[in-house]
Amino acid sequence: MEDVASSGNLPFKVTAVAAGEAHTLLLTGDGRVYSWGRGTLGRLGLGSEQDQLFPAQVKFGSQDSVRIVGIAAGAYHSL
């Protein structure tokens, strides 16, 4: 089975990437946000402090009512 991330055949368009001290954010063309890395202090926005090895979608209530247009990451936080 081919690894989608390393194949270059992502199922979505990536419009931005932001990196913090130990975590990464990714923004897609349709406004979805994914995060992965160290989850300490809840910096991944996934509702826990667990580390995440692979990109996981960050949920913002009703996805239909929210369209994210920019992302940023600091040492211990994500925006």
Side-chain angles (χ1 to χ4, degrees), residues 27-67:
L27 177 63
T28 66
D30 61 359
R32 289 179 287 155
V33 177
Y34 292 83
S35 66
W36 66 98
R38 292 200 56 201
T40 308
L41 303 174
R43 72 181 102 187
L44 298 179
L46 300 173
S48 76
E49 291 193 25
Q50 284 189 311
D51 293 349
Q52 184 68 36
L53 297 178
F54 300 99
Q57 186 174 358
V58 179
K59 302 291 184 178
F60 298 96
S62 172
Q63 282 298 125
D64 295 334
S65 64
V66 176
R67 179 169 165 83

Side-chain angles (χ1 to χ4, degrees), residues 12-30:
F12 45 76
K13 179 180 178 182
V14 175
T15 59
V17 175
E21 180 177 283
H23 70 295
T24 305
L25 303 174
L26 179 142
L27 177 63
T28 66
D30 61 359

